Amino acid sequence: MVKADKNIMRGFLVLTYIIIISMLIFVIGSSFSYLNTGADRSSMLHTEVKKATVYLPKLTWTTDGNEGRKLDAQTLAKIESDYLDAWYVKQVVYKTNQTTGIDDFYTESARKNIVAFITQNKAENISIQATTLSHQPNIEFFSEDGQLIVLKDENVVEYKQLYKDEKFVMETTETATYKVILLLEDGFWRVRHLVKERVKSVETATEKQAVPNLNMKGINYYPQATPWDMFGDQFDIEIIKNDFDIIKDAGLNTIRIFVQYEDFGKANVNEEKLEKLQQVLDAAATKKLQVVLTLFDFYGNYEILDWTLTQRHAETIVSRFKNHTAIVAWDIKNEPNLDFESRGKQNVLAWLESMISLIKSIDSTHLVTIGWSNTESAHLLQDKVDFVSFHYYNAAADFMRHYANLKAKITDKPIVLGEFGQSSYGGFWKPFSGSEQKQATYFKEMQAMLKAENISFLSWTLYDFEEIPSSVVGNRPWRTNPQKKFGFIDKDGKRKLAFEFMVE
Amino acid sequence: MMNLHYIFYFLLVASSADGFSMNVTETIQLETSKREFTAGEIIVLTFSGTQDASIQLYCANSYGTTLVSPKLEKNQLQYTIPTQLCSKIGVVNWKLLHKNNSLSGTFNIVAQKTPVAMETYVGPPSIAAGENDYTMLVVIPTDALDNPIQENTEVALKRQFLANEQQETILTKNLIAYQNIYSPSESGRMLLATECLGLNSKEYTVNVLPAISTDFEIFAKRPHEYADGNQITTFTTSILKDKNDNIISDGTFVAFFITNINGNLLKTSGMTIDGVATAKMIHPDHQETWSVKAIVAGISESNKISLRYKKVIEDFTITFSEKNRNIEVGPLKSFMNQLIPDGLQVKLIVSQSGKIIETAIKESRDGFVNFELNPNILSNGNYDLEITTAGITKTIQAKKLW
């Protein structure tokens, strides 16, 4: 017995020893490796070139008019970059009324002209926010010594907003033709002369498109495991195909999905994401589901100098999928009216309008809409969109009143209910507020009204979600928890009572 | 209650009618009829039909955009366009910022008639003679406000080259005027100047450099034709010229390649001065025939010349002393029986039954070379000796050392 005790004692001591030593080694090891992190050689030497893409108007070169020396591709690329930078710097200068940066892109004599404007605008507190949306430069002449270039920039589409005393005064879109002389100085192609030869202001005429009978019976779709991250690392086309089967079998014909602006790579759209989107659209086409593709999800800048970047983003996606049979409509932006307060209604509307005309210029066949978050804003830009869409999360009883109000403001465009739904959450954070039964009743009532009025609809949403990213409704539990329970199918895959009323 | 409603509607209709009529009476019109101005002119746009001095005028030119406030004079609104807009050529577009009446238009500003400055760019600054290469002259004549003057303005381009002076006229187009200037067939310095409506530029120089050389000849000069390993042979080229007989630029590198009897290559080089390159090479120390050719790498080559070097030493004596361990070679005599100048190479190879044991190379001094055979290396015994100098080899079989 004594011997056994001794052995236990021994064993215990040895074990304790091993544990203490290994903990010690772990602590020393991790502090050592922590101290070894830090400046690596490449960051010490500042070898990397930090150049952000800030200005990407649509630019098409013609070089057939060149009377001088032959222009090589490398020089042309350098000229393009410096010429666009010159425009960008000019826009920044007029926005801020400060001369930062113009020295690099305008020669000494040319920059005087800009400084004269700034002096006046500053004195009168005028500021101009502008961007150019497209350029068609043509090289007219390149000198033999490679130091001077004359180019004619045709159809420069420039959008401007003028502010006086911080108040919006006017906006205008103009198309102009410029002649430009650029000189190569200190390694920069600098503007020496700039002459506007022609200009006309553009009244964006929207061509009327006959909108077919929409008859959308649909749903807003995210996979259950990856809400708001449909095209991420966990992308699984098989799961999505399955879900499409469920949606189709429930009697629906439309889905609304979302393309996140940053996730898709902003101006330089990520090819991998496009391929995933392609798979989803192909799957929808096979299941005979039509897709409302919502662009610019989570985008919230709208700043005029950011326009060119968003336009390249939309251009890439729209031109890639404009012939896809699954697409029924482009939803430019989800609930942009929520940004009115923080970003300025003027800016948001101008951005939307310009984006619509860009998308229409690329894809004239598919419909365009904006997913307004309520009935109060849904009439905005109604003459630009092909159909009006709005979201509704209030009580079913009030729906007809809201709808009638909206309908009174809409002259001749179809109206689609782009999102509606109710959470079945009735737990700790919002006791007794919802239940599966209440949700089912809500959908039943809504469906009856939608059928009576023959309104196209897209409900929110197929699944209950386990996790809601903080970018959607924040982190507060009384907001995230109800958000998790909007589905027709619960987190265990069981159909909730409302499933019956996905469609009348 | 009902009446109240009617009153309300009536008011509404009345007020909107009021707005409507105001629109009709207040037809704002542009009184200024001029549409084209010269840069620097004072431009005033006058509008009649309103006296509302809060109406601003938007205007934009090539460089920028601004807002202008009016002055009310004689019941008209007068907008004085800011100087920075009046002074630059191009189209100016304007718009009256009135809520019901968006009057807009454009006017054009053209450059002043007389240029006051001519920015001239000439490049490249040197070109090759031969009517093939060219330089380009670009002129931007600008007026007093730094505007490129109007299209199709004549610019006289004057040039002087050797005895030739000429003048031609070019026209401005795309804000500039330019001309390609081809090189003449001779080399030299070309002076350029331009003139535009009485304004003269300064002088610009273009160097017309000779083109690349054509094939040439080479010559060799030597004090004597003996292979004494001491004198120097000098190679020269004929005057190197381009195809138009211009002497090529000084400093052109000419490489001379010498091939000897065994096919080995020797190389020497020189750079041209006044078209002639000179290079030197020391004479061989044994009978030899050189074949020499010069090239300007990648451009031109010379003829091939052949040089024979005669033997200077027919024979030499070998004397043994100090137990045959001291070998004296000499006297080494040159072509006039004079002692050969110091530095002739003598090579000794010591071998025993076909196996080389020691090799020694020494240079002559006062006509003699001495070899000491070290007893620590070469123990007593019989050795074969082989002595070579000036291309002559003598062998002594089984020489006994003790």
Side-chain angles (χ1 to χ4, degrees):
Chain A
M1 192 67 201
V2 175
K3 205 172 181 183
D5 274 357
K6 234 178 184 172
N7 278 340
I8 288 166
M9 198 69 164
R10 259 188 211 137
F12 177 73
L13 278 175
V14 168
L15 260 171
T16 326
Y17 177 76
I18 289 170
I19 288 165
I20 289 172
I21 289 297
S22 47
M23 277 165 67
L24 222 77
I25 288 171
F26 175 76
V27 168
I28 292 170
S30 50
S31 57
F32 188 71
S33 62
Y34 170 75
L35 291 173
N36 264 328
T37 57
D40 61 310
R41 276 176 215 185
S42 67
S43 64
M44 263 155 60
L45 294 171
H46 300 290
T47 48
E48 79 277 48
V49 180
K50 280 188 186 134
K51 190 169 191 289
T53 325
V54 286
Y55 201 59
L56 285 174
K58 189 176 177 61
L59 186 130
T60 345
W61 279 103
T62 5
T63 45
D64 54 0
N66 185 5
E67 288 183 20
R69 169 173 155 173
K70 196 172 170 289
L71 197 61
D72 57 296
Q74 193 181 351
T75 313
L76 189 69
K78 175 70 178 147
I79 291 168
E80 175 179 322
S81 134
D82 285 357
Y83 179 59
L84 286 183
D85 283 349
W87 274 97
Y88 177 72
V89 162
K90 192 169 94 170
Q91 315 290 25
V92 173
V93 159
Y94 282 129
K95 184 183 168 192
T96 56
N97 282 336
Q98 282 172 347
T99 57
T100 321
I102 56 166
D103 291 7
D104 282 342
F105 298 102
Y106 294 83
T107 62
E108 209 173 333
S109 345
R111 71 182 80 121
K112 281 183 199 149
N113 303 313
I114 297 175
V115 171
F117 271 103
I118 301 222
T119 318
Q120 196 203 344
N121 288 353
K122 206 173 187 173
E124 300 187 13
N125 205 4
I126 298 166
S127 97
I128 295 136
Q129 298 200 19
T131 186
T132 53
L133 301 176
S134 93
H135 291 266
Q136 290 171 10
N138 187 354
I139 305 282
E140 300 271 335
F141 176 79
F142 183 37
S143 76
E144 192 56 33
D145 56 359
Q147 308 282 307
L148 180 145
I149 208 153
V150 183
L151 56 89
K152 184 178 182 180
D153 197 352
E154 285 177 292
N155 300 326
V156 179
V157 178
E158 188 171 17
Y159 172 81
K160 287 184 216 171
Q161 283 186 352
L162 271 78
Y163 292 82
K164 182 157 180 162
D165 303 322
E166 264 93 68
K167 274 203 220 63
F168 174 80
V169 178
M170 69 169 291
E171 63 180 338
T172 172
T173 309
E174 292 163 0
T175 309
T177 299
Y178 290 88
K179 277 244 168 84
V180 192
I181 295 183
L182 299 163
L183 295 180
L184 183 63
E185 289 183 352
D186 307 339
F188 288 98
W189 283 97
R190 289 187 180 146
V191 174
R192 172 67 186 89
H193 289 289
L194 193 64
V195 180
K196 197 193 277 185
E197 292 203 320
R198 274 195 302 279
V199 64
K200 62 172 197 285
S201 66
V202 185
E203 299 302 327
T204 43
T206 40
E207 50 202 282
K208 296 247 168 171
Q209 197 175 345
V211 179
N213 185 16
L214 290 168
N215 190 27
M216 287 183 195
K217 296 180 195 306
I219 192 161
N220 287 273
Y221 174 70
Y222 272 120
Q224 183 168 30
T226 54
W228 290 276
D229 184 25
M230 186 159 167
F231 305 98
D233 293 337
Q234 293 179 58
F235 176 83
D236 186 344
I237 190 68
E238 292 310 317
I239 291 176
I240 292 168
K241 279 181 181 165
N242 257 335
D243 291 344
F244 284 179
D245 278 332
I246 297 171
I247 293 167
K248 188 73 197 173
D249 293 345
L252 299 176
N253 60 17
T254 310
I255 53 163
R256 179 167 176 256
I257 55 175
F258 300 82
V259 164
Q260 271 103 32
Y261 177 63
E262 274 187 39
D263 182 49
F264 266 64
K266 299 186 190 174
N268 301 312
V269 181
N270 190 342
E271 179 56 35
E272 198 191 324
K273 301 275 177 186
L274 286 175
E275 268 158 28
K276 287 175 180 173
L277 181 55
Q278 174 87 47
Q279 289 182 41
V280 171
L281 292 177
D282 289 348
T286 332
K287 309 283 181 213
K288 300 217 162 25
L289 286 171
Q290 48 184 9
V291 177
V292 176
L293 195 63
T294 308
L295 303 169
F296 295 103
D297 206 20
F298 292 147
Y299 174 73
N301 192 344
Y302 307 101
E303 212 174 308
I304 291 168
L305 275 178
D306 203 42
W307 283 21
T308 59
L309 301 183
T310 56
Q311 297 212 339
R312 295 295 78 69
H313 175 87
E315 187 183 61
T316 316
I317 295 174
V318 173
S319 48
R320 170 90 171 240
F321 298 113
K322 67 176 179 182
N323 293 323
H324 202 287
T325 48
I327 301 273
V328 60
W330 304 104
D331 188 342
I332 306 288
K333 176 85 182 87
N334 186 43
E335 311 191 342
N337 51 316
L338 301 183
D339 297 322
F340 280 176
E341 208 175 305
S342 58
R343 304 289 170 169
K345 188 172 173 179
Q346 192 66 46
N347 279 337
V348 177
L349 291 180
W351 180 87
L352 287 166
E353 197 178 330
S354 150
M355 191 54 74
I356 290 171
S357 70
L358 175 87
I359 290 177
K360 290 228 164 234
S361 76
I362 302 167
D363 177 6
S364 53
T365 47
H366 291 117
L367 308 174
V368 170
T369 188
I370 300 166
W372 300 106
S373 87
N374 55 32
T375 48
E376 284 76 32
S377 309
H379 64 286
L380 294 167
L381 298 175
Q382 56 166 308
D383 50 341
K384 306 285 174 195
V385 296
D386 294 315
F387 64 88
V388 173
S389 79
F390 71 103
H391 302 167
Y392 185 80
Y393 286 102
N394 293 346
D398 299 333
F399 178 75
M400 283 317 296
R401 189 167 52 80
H402 280 108
Y403 179 70
N405 278 344
L406 173 63
K407 197 160 186 194
K409 285 187 270 184
I410 308 294
T411 46
D412 61 345
K413 296 283 162 86
I415 303 171
V416 172
L417 177 55
E419 279 182 25
F420 71 105
Q422 197 177 61
S423 176
S424 61
Y425 181 78
F428 175 75
W429 298 103
K430 269 198 173 171
F432 318 117
S433 72
S435 70
E436 281 202 28
Q437 186 54 55
K438 280 183 188 169
Q439 190 195 22
T441 318
Y442 168 85
F443 275 108
K444 189 180 175 186
E445 284 172 25
M446 285 297 287
Q447 284 297 351
M449 287 184 279
L450 294 171
K451 189 174 185 195
E453 291 286 323
N454 193 18
I455 303 170
S456 287
F457 64 87
L458 295 141
S459 50
W460 186 273
T461 176
L462 188 62
Y463 284 109
D464 280 355
F465 302 127
E466 300 250 19
E467 287 296 329
I468 306 289
S470 60
S471 44
V472 181
V473 287
N475 281 324
R476 297 180 185 123
W478 55 91
R479 303 203 52 168
T480 56
N481 280 314
Q483 187 66 44
K484 291 175 186 175
K485 299 267 189 181
F486 269 91
F488 289 106
I489 300 174
D490 72 9
K491 63 182 181 5
D492 304 318
K494 201 162 69 46
R495 292 177 179 195
K496 288 156 72 171
L497 294 174
F499 194 90
E500 294 259 321
F501 307 103
M502 263 170 106
V503 62
E504 174 72 0
Chain B
M1 195 64 201
M2 211 60 178
N3 282 342
L4 213 64
H5 262 137
Y6 280 123
I7 290 165
F8 174 69
Y9 283 128
F10 175 75
L11 276 176
L12 201 77
V13 169
S15 68
S16 64
D18 190 36
F20 186 70
S21 66
M22 226 172 84
N23 229 353
V24 171
T25 53
E26 200 178 66
T27 41
I28 304 176
Q29 270 186 335
L30 175 66
E31 294 294 316
T32 317
S33 55
K34 208 171 160 190
R35 290 286 181 277
E36 188 158 297
F37 300 87
T38 307
E41 231 181 294
I42 292 168
I43 304 172
V44 181
L45 293 186
T46 312
F47 293 90
S48 66
T50 180
Q51 301 191 13
D52 182 357
S54 69
I55 302 172
Q56 297 223 302
L57 184 78
Y58 154 87
C59 48
N61 76 344
S62 314
Y63 284 94
T65 307
T66 194
L67 294 170
V68 188
S69 302
K71 222 169 45 189
L72 189 61
E73 216 150 278
K74 295 180 206 148
N75 295 335
Q76 290 182 325
L77 292 183
Q78 291 195 344
Y79 294 91
T80 311
I81 306 296
T83 44
Q84 77 266 21
L85 276 133
C86 301
S87 59
K88 299 310 286 186
I89 58 164
V91 178
V92 177
N93 54 315
W94 54 264
K95 191 175 188 182
L96 208 57
L97 301 181
H98 187 257
K99 49 190 176 301
N100 305 328
N101 191 332
S102 60
L103 210 53
S104 66
T106 59
F107 56 86
N108 204 9
I109 300 179
V110 296
Q112 295 172 350
K113 284 280 174 283
T114 43
V116 299
M118 279 202 279
E119 253 172 65
T120 310
Y121 302 90
V122 180
S126 50
I127 50 175
E131 296 167 345
N132 231 342
D133 200 7
Y134 62 92
T135 186
M136 187 186 263
L137 177 128
V138 184
V139 203
I140 317 175
T142 48
D143 68 8
L145 293 159
D146 193 37
N147 293 304
I149 57 166
Q150 291 183 35
E151 192 136 308
N152 290 324
T153 305
E154 287 187 0
V155 177
L157 165 61
K158 305 166 191 174
R159 60 172 117 168
Q160 174 271 325
F161 184 71
L162 304 176
N164 181 4
E165 274 179 44
Q166 63 185 83
Q167 181 171 344
E168 58 200 301
T169 306
I170 51 179
L171 297 176
T172 57
K173 185 189 169 191
N174 293 329
L175 314 176
I176 59 158
Y178 80 96
Q179 178 75 318
N180 289 344
I181 298 158
Y182 281 84
S183 63
S185 55
E186 296 117 293
S187 64
R189 208 158 235 256
M190 187 189 278
L191 301 180
L192 301 169
T194 49
E195 184 191 336
C196 179
L197 302 171
L199 178 72
N200 284 288
S201 76
K202 56 178 190 173
E203 177 182 294
Y204 296 90
T205 311
V206 174
N207 273 320
V208 182
L209 299 175
I212 56 173
S213 82
T214 50
D215 287 354
F216 53 96
E217 280 183 72
I218 52 170
F219 312 99
K221 212 174 121 191
R222 45 187 177 169
H224 56 61
E225 50 182 11
Y226 295 103
D228 67 346
N230 190 45
Q231 295 305 319
I232 284 170
T233 300
T234 306
F235 300 104
T236 54
T237 62
S238 59
I239 297 174
L240 269 67
K241 291 182 173 175
D242 69 6
K243 69 174 195 292
N244 295 304
D245 271 354
N246 298 306
I247 297 172
I248 58 150
S249 307
D250 283 355
T252 302
F253 188 85
V254 183
F256 293 80
F257 290 93
I258 305 167
T259 317
N260 69 10
I261 292 172
N262 300 328
N264 296 327
L265 273 183
L266 294 168
K267 192 185 151 194
T268 179
S269 61
M271 302 218 203
T272 62
I273 293 173
D274 294 335
V276 177
T278 310
K280 292 170 191 274
M281 180 58 81
I282 194 164
H283 281 210
D285 60 2
H286 55 275
Q287 187 177 351
E288 185 61 279
T289 303
W290 282 354
S291 133
V292 188
K293 185 176 185 163
I295 60 158
V296 178
I299 292 174
S300 59
E301 58 180 24
S302 72
N303 58 333
K304 202 177 239 184
I305 58 168
S306 181
L307 291 178
R308 273 177 51 81
Y309 288 88
K310 283 189 196 160
K311 215 182 247 189
V312 284
I313 296 171
E314 292 298 335
D315 196 7
F316 54 87
T317 37
I318 302 165
T319 322
F320 290 91
S321 56
E322 310 267 328
K323 302 170 182 173
N324 286 348
R325 283 186 183 275
N326 191 334
I327 307 165
E328 185 188 64
V329 181
L332 298 160
K333 289 180 186 166
S334 191
F335 57 95
M336 295 186 300
N337 282 335
Q338 80 275 35
L339 294 176
I340 199 141
D342 291 353
L344 183 72
Q345 215 176 57
V346 181
K347 188 177 179 186
L348 167 73
I349 298 169
V350 183
S351 55
Q352 199 169 33
S353 47
K355 197 175 148 215
I356 294 168
I357 295 167
E358 210 197 343
T359 309
I361 295 171
K362 281 196 162 181
E363 287 176 355
S364 72
R365 197 177 173 83
D366 298 330
F368 288 93
V369 169
N370 276 294
F371 293 102
E372 304 277 345
L373 300 180
N374 190 339
N376 295 319
I377 295 165
L378 301 171
S379 53
N380 295 349
N382 289 341
Y383 293 92
D384 299 334
L385 304 172
E386 188 184 302
I387 294 167
T388 310
T389 188
I392 306 162
T393 304
K394 286 190 167 187
T395 43
I396 297 138
Q397 302 286 347
K399 193 75 182 172
K400 187 179 168 96
L401 304 181
W402 74 96

